[in-house]
Amino acid sequence: MLRLGQMPARRKAAFPPSVDEGTRLLILGSLPGDASIKQGEYYAHRGNAFWALIGDVLGEDLRNQPYAMRLKRLKARRVGLWDVIESADRPGSLDSAIRGAELRDLSAFVARLPMLEAVAFNGRTAALHSRRQLGERIGLTLIDLPSSSGAFASMSRDAKLTAWMTLTAFVGEG
């Protein structure tokens, strides 16, 4: 039952993966937010620090590149993107509002990436749902990252960057 002024949850769907056969590092988010869905781009909200953080990890300024070039640069550095949730009901963009999540089959997906060495989880929701599926896979490093979302403001950008820099061990030369 809706309360006065409350908007109904809208079923939202994730994007296809941005990976190739050379992907060594897969970064998993939860589900794209409204700004990303509207623009059809991963991490499109201007308050999300993803492109700045991964750019610092790679030593490249990705924020000022067109979206297609950002994805191309990630692939060139052996980094892939995807989300653990295929679809869910969610008013707005907060992970805490996700209901009725349909999860992707991560085990089958990572099995099709022959060069994959690590999976990083962009935030607590991605880690929670992904770790349940991936468990402790032999030969695969699982990395919990602080969320790049602007909604996760309890940690400074510098502290987030320190954690994100652990990814440098898994990126390729570009």
Side-chain angles (χ1 to χ4, degrees):
M1 174 178 213
L2 291 179
R3 295 189 177 125
L4 186 61
Q6 184 181 17
M7 297 296 293
R10 184 176 124 232
R11 193 81 184 163
K12 296 176 181 174
F15 303 138
S18 176
V19 297
D20 63 22
E21 64 281 348
T23 299
R24 290 176 52 194
L25 168 65
L26 177 63
I27 301 174
L28 290 173
S30 55
L31 181 70
D34 288 347
S36 292
I37 291 169
K38 183 177 179 180
Q39 293 182 43
E41 300 179 356
Y42 281 105
Y43 304 104
H45 191 281
R46 68 187 183 308
N48 194 305
F50 176 82
W51 293 108
L53 290 166
I54 195 64
D56 286 344
V57 168
L58 300 178
E60 299 184 28
D61 182 8
L62 296 178
R63 292 170 296 188
N64 295 316
Q65 297 292 323
Y67 181 69
M69 181 57 73
R70 292 177 188 181
L71 295 181
K72 183 177 180 179
R73 291 304 306 144
L74 289 183
K75 285 182 181 177
R77 302 296 296 274
R78 309 291 184 237
V79 178
L81 297 178
W82 209 31
D83 290 305
V84 65
I85 298 172
E86 175 68 35
S87 66
D89 294 321
R90 182 181 65 195
S93 297
L94 296 178
D95 282 357
S96 61
I98 292 172
R99 300 290 181 267
E102 179 184 333
L103 301 179
R104 289 178 157 157
D105 185 348
L106 295 180
S107 293
F109 183 73
V110 301
R112 294 190 308 260
L113 298 173
M115 304 300 289
L116 190 66
E117 296 176 8
V119 179
F121 312 118
N122 186 358
R124 186 176 304 147
T125 301
L128 175 70
H129 293 299
S130 300
R131 282 186 173 277
R132 284 182 185 161
Q133 290 189 57
L134 297 176
E136 296 299 322
R137 294 179 68 95
I138 295 173
L140 191 61
T141 302
L142 304 179
I143 305 165
D144 291 0
L145 297 171
S147 175
S148 63
S149 172
F152 181 57
S154 63
M155 181 181 276
S156 72
R157 187 190 180 292
D158 287 342
K160 288 181 182 183
L161 180 58
T162 298
W164 278 68
M165 289 304 286
T166 62
L167 302 180
T168 58
F170 301 100
V171 299
E173 296 299 317

